[in-house]
Amino acid sequence: MIRSRRRLALGTALLATAALTLSACGTSGPGESAAGEASAWATTGSVHEQIWKTSFENWNSEHPDAEISVEWFNNDAYKEKIRTAIGAGTGPSLVFGWGGGTLADYVDQGKVVDLTGKVSNLVDRVLPSVVKNGMIGDKLYAVPNSQSQPVVLYYNTELFDEVGVDVPKTWNELLSAVDAFVDAGVTPFALAGASKWPELMWIQYLTDRIGGSEVFDAVLAGEEDAWSDPAIIEALEKIQELVDRGAFGDGFGSVVADTRADAALLHTGKAAMLLQGSWLYSSFLTDAPDFVERGRLATTSFPTIEGGAGDPANIVGNPANYWSVSADASEDVQDTVTSYLDEMVFSDDYTTQLIEGGGVPPVAGLEEELAKSDNADFLTFAYDLVKNAPHFQLSWDQALRPSQAQELLTNLDLVFLKKSTPQQFVDAMNGTL
């Protein structure tokens, strides 16, 4: 544990420094290297930042005549800047993204390169369900570059023992647990409602458990009135039932995810459970190491729903973050960055760093290495979720086109706040199709 924590502490310090400003590892300004020099833009503030830095440094050391310059942006600044730069043809050679609707837009505009057959070594290393999210149709336009990030149910074992509640495996058991914790004066679920996007995790899992993955597939396909599916209506009704039972407490609308306030509610004993991404585990290691070390943090999968059509092994979240190659880059630059992807991403060193940081690499055949790691229980659990999932649904706000995603966040938040009915949500979202 000591070695991993020291690496994490160093990484956290680096991230905090980098997040304050935009820093460039090369001399060219934004967009100047789109065609003539290999470049990448990446985001700060995650366990991956130091891994990416090390990977680029190793590549540049081994290929002094084909170096890749890197610029770093905080998450929100990057999202604002990249779409404008891509549209203007002044973006980086390596484009950081999440797949889904934004990637589809880039493909429609001819802004990213078809990588099919060009990164076979990398594709062979990665789990098929994660590779799939970088595909549009039957062609590969993006490759994973980070840990796989399924949404899991974290819980405080000490509170469960104190209140005498079993870990819920079914929806009815979850409702019973909610009532028991409310009666005991404990908030059942931490929820960062002020950030809105954590609310998506609830409608995503509920819709899948009730109706199966086909329900959201119809939305993605733009089928008329796809949001009117009974599974979505029922999911929204169950969300409002949870709100009425006090499942999220009274102040969830002021809790912010970016400051990890939802995680703090769990490890300080103010909340019993938290539905969040596996990416949060590394934050528990740094923010509350004693909480983890004493076995107070545990995880389980989202409960089943009796009579539901969805496969209980399905998961939601982010299969990974992704790199795409800019079509505006010169052929020589495209060759350089494509070679970087195939040789360096998820190499043995790259993968080991992810594991030591508490991440779940989407790489095939890691069972033995994970079992020997400091965080074996969690990493093996999360890895098995990804490996065995029949369907891994990308977060809806990333899967949808950007204009639809914003409407989704706004209207779902109104449902959680009881300012909108399920039918009003459905009507508003059908209007985006």
Side-chain angles (χ1 to χ4, degrees), residues 80 98 190 239 298 314 415-416 421:
E80 291 177 6
W98 291 263
I239 286 170
N314 286 351
V415 169
F416 270 86
T421 67

Side-chain angles (χ1 to χ4, degrees), residues 27-42:
T27 57
S28 59
E32 290 178 15
S33 56
E37 178 185 314
S39 62
W41 291 0

Side-chain angles (χ1 to χ4, degrees), residues 159-203:
L159 289 177
F160 271 78
D161 290 342
E162 288 178 1
V163 179
V165 174
D166 292 330
V167 178
K169 297 180 179 179
T170 69
W171 185 252
N172 287 334
E173 290 175 357
L174 183 146
L175 293 178
S176 296
V178 166
D179 293 343
F181 283 118
V182 169
D183 289 344
V186 175
T187 299
F189 286 98
L191 176 64
S195 300
K196 297 185 182 179
W197 58 262
E199 297 171 342
L200 283 171
M201 301 174 188
W202 285 94
I203 190 173

